[in-house]
Amino acid sequence: MEKIRRIAILGSGRLGRGIAENAATKGYDVTLFAQGAGSQNAPYRIERSLDKKLEKWAITEGEKRVILSHINYSTDLKKLVDADLVIEATIDHLYTKQELLRTADRLCGPNVIFLLTSATLCVSEIALSLSRPNLLVGARFIPPVVDTTVVELSFSSDTSKDAINTTKEFINNLGKKPILVQESPGLVNPRTLVTLINEAAYLLDEGVSSAEAIEMIIIGSWSMQQGPFEMADRMGIDIILNWMEQLQQVYGDRYMPAPIIRRYVQQGRLGVKTGIGFFRYNEDGQRIDNLDNKQEEN
């Protein structure tokens, strides 16, 4: 396998932006391809993330400029021809991922590895649509990507050892530990995450306690930085619902979404990206007040 220098990321939402920032920080040249709603603010979001590090003295102004210089933005998929590695970071929708990776398959060089970041879809499902199933590897990056230290690595029976080893090396170069798991819908992090969020949502819906109280109990019990409601808000409640529905189809009703999660999605309360979910947020994604179930907006 050739040395990886230039990375293409398909999808500029929270996951794609996080991978782009992480990779650029480590000196990789990144092209971030805008896919889906909200992608237009990717440059602002990445710069704002770096500004927060600057405020904490984690980087210098010069380092910030260097990192930003490594990131380019595009909507022209023909530029995939220049990539050494392609990372898809789009919504967990089988057709969307298949179509994007089929396009990349046609345009990229013969040795380019594709990384599938799906939380709920298996490598073997997507590999069926590619002419190079041996070069498709599952790499589940966990948001916030710049802060988390592990990546779930999965592969199909067709995936080559060279592709797996090259992916491991790349992930190590990002400062993360690749951990091998058997390919299965939901892997480890997404399945455990939605279980925690869903049970907390049931507690809220049943009136056991307020969102703030549930959040504080869970954070304090396990020394977590964020509780389930803020994690859901930052991931996007619509994304969490999508994962639950897909996992329910595979594993049954233990993943049945709490009614409040469906209500919030129907009401457009999707979390940080809409300014309101379980809590309220300002334009920079900072919490500005607390809500509980009694304050649902119709």
Side-chain angles (χ1 to χ4, degrees):
M1 295 287 177
E2 296 178 4
K3 186 175 178 61
I4 295 172
R5 298 184 183 86
R6 295 164 297 188
I7 299 167
I9 300 174
L10 302 174
S12 53
R14 186 187 185 208
L15 182 63
R17 294 193 307 267
I19 298 171
E21 181 183 334
N22 191 173
T25 299
K26 298 300 182 180
Y28 290 99
D29 291 322
V30 178
T31 301
L32 190 57
F33 290 86
Q35 301 287 334
S39 58
Q40 302 85 351
N41 68 358
Y44 168 78
R45 291 291 186 189
I46 290 176
E47 184 161 9
R48 185 70 190 102
S49 175
L50 293 172
D51 283 340
K52 289 177 181 177
K53 291 181 179 179
L54 192 62
E55 291 165 5
K56 296 177 181 178
W57 301 88
I59 60 172
T60 66
E61 183 66 43
E63 287 171 331
K64 173 191 166 183
R65 288 195 298 269
V66 170
I67 294 168
L68 291 175
S69 73
H70 281 292
I71 305 175
N72 293 299
Y73 302 88
S74 181
T75 57
D76 184 4
L77 292 177
K78 291 178 181 177
K79 292 185 179 180
L80 286 169
V81 70
D82 298 322
D84 299 320
L85 176 74
V86 173
I87 305 173
E88 74 73 29
T90 57
I91 188 170
D92 265 17
H93 185 280
L94 179 62
Y95 178 77
T96 300
K97 291 184 184 294
Q98 284 180 329
E99 284 301 298
L100 274 173
L101 287 173
R102 264 199 287 259
T103 299
D105 197 13
R106 292 195 302 269
L107 294 172
C108 291
N111 297 318
V112 172
I113 295 172
F114 299 149
L115 300 189
L116 176 72
T117 66
S118 177
T120 58
L121 301 172
C122 292
V123 175
S124 54
E125 286 183 275
I126 305 297
L128 292 172
S129 63
L130 302 178
S131 68
R132 57 180 98 186
N134 59 308
L135 296 181
L136 181 65
V137 183
R140 177 61 197 167
F141 289 85
I142 300 167
V145 176
V146 294
D147 296 325
T148 52
T149 59
V150 296
V151 175
E152 293 186 65
L153 208 62
S154 61
F155 53 90
S156 73
S157 58
D158 292 319
T159 309
S160 73
K161 289 183 179 179
D162 282 346
I164 296 169
N165 290 334
T166 300
T167 302
K168 285 182 178 178
E169 182 181 356
F170 169 67
I171 292 171
N172 281 322
N173 289 342
L174 295 183
K176 304 186 184 303
K177 182 178 179 61
I179 300 178
L180 287 172
V181 298
Q182 294 294 323
E183 68 160 349
S184 62
L187 300 169
V188 175
N189 174 269
R191 283 176 65 177
T192 54
L193 176 63
V194 299
T195 299
L196 176 61
I197 292 169
N198 206 30
E199 192 59 34
Y202 272 115
L203 289 167
L204 179 60
D205 222 9
E206 294 162 6
V208 174
S209 195
S210 68
E212 178 64 19
I214 294 168
E215 193 89 340
M216 288 175 63
I217 290 167
I218 293 174
I219 289 173
S221 297
W222 291 293
S223 300
M224 299 168 67
Q225 292 184 342
Q226 295 174 356
F229 294 137
E230 186 169 350
M231 286 192 285
D233 283 346
R234 294 193 180 282
M235 292 292 297
I237 299 174
D238 54 333
I239 291 173
I240 296 298
L241 176 60
N242 175 264
W243 288 2
M244 289 179 180
E245 289 174 337
Q246 292 191 56
L247 292 173
Q248 185 182 6
Q249 290 177 6
V250 177
Y251 300 112
D253 286 348
R254 59 182 162 143
Y255 288 102
M256 181 184 292
I260 194 172
I261 292 176
R262 291 192 185 279
R263 290 200 301 276
Y264 279 7
V265 172
Q266 290 168 356
Q267 294 167 3
R269 289 176 59 158
L270 307 182
V272 172
K273 58 189 169 187
T274 59
I276 183 173
F278 290 100
F279 303 115
R280 290 185 185 273
Y281 302 85
N282 63 19
E283 291 182 356
D284 289 328
Q286 297 172 319
R287 274 178 58 180
I288 54 177
D289 74 0
N290 302 321
L291 293 170
D292 60 33
N293 196 27
K294 296 177 182 178
Q295 295 172 289
E296 281 190 55
E297 296 175 1
N298 298 315

